């Protein structure tokens, strides 16, 4: 059975994979961590991945910018396959082959891992216009009202652009 692993999704180290072979893995921005990510949004000691039975759990160890799983701030929580762990501004995919924890090949951010795509994860960071509750800092823009506002704004932009094209063609 393949070992669980943590895969960096954010641009700074995108694609870097860490096989979880020990009982505790430390995550932080300094080199004395098992998973060192030199990013200012991480604390020097940010979080730990701790073996919990056959899987791992994540524990925030007093970080400044917090730890989230699938957008929800946590202090300690078990991990399931395809969970997106966010430490500071860095997103990490937790991947394990344990069928008890495996949900699908689609992450919480709806990125299909079986499909080759040119989408940049940096372009999609943490903004979910239909997430209920919270403002942009919490990953949402206010639920359905936010979604309607985004659609209305995009419609206005399209109409203005079409008007400009029409005026150019007529003039």
């Amino acid at each position: 059975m393949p070992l669980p692993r943590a895969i960096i999704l954010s641009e700074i180290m995108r694609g870097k994979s860490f096989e979880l072979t020990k009982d505790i893995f430390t995550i932080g921005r300094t080199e004395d961590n098992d998973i060192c990510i030199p990013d200012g949004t991480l604390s020097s000691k940010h979080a730990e991945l701790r073996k919990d039975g056959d899987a791992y759990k994540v524990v925030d160890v007093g970080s400044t910018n917090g730890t989230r799983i699938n957008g929800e701030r946590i202090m300690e929580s078990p991990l399931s396959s395809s969970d997106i762990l966010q430490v500071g501004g860095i997103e990490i995919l937790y991947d394990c082959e344990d069928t008890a924890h495996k949900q699908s090949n689609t992450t919480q951010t709806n990125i299909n891992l079986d499909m080759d795509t040119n989408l940049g994860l940096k372009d999609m960071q943490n903004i979910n216009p239909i997430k209920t509750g919270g403002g942009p800092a919490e990953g949402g823009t206010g639920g359905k009202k936010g979604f309607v506002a985004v659609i209305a704004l995009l419609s206005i932009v399209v109409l203005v652009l079409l008007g400009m094209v029409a005026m150019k063609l007529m003039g």
Side-chain angles (χ1 to χ4, degrees):
M1 177 197 304
L3 294 170
R5 57 194 176 137
I7 305 165
I8 309 294
L9 298 176
S10 297
E11 185 175 351
I12 189 169
M13 294 175 64
R14 184 175 293 141
K16 177 97 170 127
S17 179
F18 298 87
E19 284 194 345
L20 304 179
T21 56
K22 303 187 314 184
D23 288 343
I24 298 177
F25 272 80
T26 58
I27 302 171
R29 75 168 184 265
T30 58
E31 290 185 20
D32 58 337
N33 288 286
D34 298 305
I35 300 175
C36 171
I37 305 170
D39 183 86
T41 63
L42 270 74
S43 296
S44 47
K45 298 277 188 215
H46 197 98
E48 293 178 346
L49 298 176
R50 297 182 185 167
K51 191 160 180 122
D52 187 23
D54 291 334
Y56 280 82
K57 66 181 176 181
V58 64
V59 178
D60 185 287
V61 292
S63 68
T64 301
N65 292 324
T67 302
R68 297 174 183 271
I69 295 178
N70 303 323
E72 299 295 322
R73 190 162 184 158
I74 58 95
M75 290 305 295
E76 180 175 324
S77 181
L79 288 165
S80 296
S81 190
S82 299
D83 276 349
I84 302 294
L85 167 64
Q86 183 179 349
V87 287
I90 302 297
E91 290 187 334
I92 302 170
L93 172 68
Y94 175 72
D95 179 38
C96 71
E97 292 296 320
D98 184 0
T99 55
H101 291 93
K102 190 160 179 88
Q103 296 169 351
S104 71
N105 284 332
T106 302
T107 67
Q108 289 297 101
T109 52
N110 296 323
I111 302 166
N112 186 340
L113 299 177
D114 293 329
M115 186 173 85
D116 188 26
T117 178
N118 290 325
L119 293 175
L121 292 175
K122 185 175 181 183
D123 299 330
M124 303 183 313
Q125 281 187 0
N126 304 326
I127 300 296
N128 182 354
I130 58 174
K131 180 177 178 183
T132 57
E138 288 80 36
T141 59
K144 291 182 182 177
K145 288 182 183 177
F147 181 74
V148 170
V150 169
I151 296 300
L153 180 63
L154 288 174
S155 298
I156 291 169
V157 170
V158 169
L159 289 173
V160 168
L161 290 173
L162 286 173
M164 292 171 62
V165 169
M167 287 174 48
K168 186 159 185 120
L169 289 174
M170 295 171 79

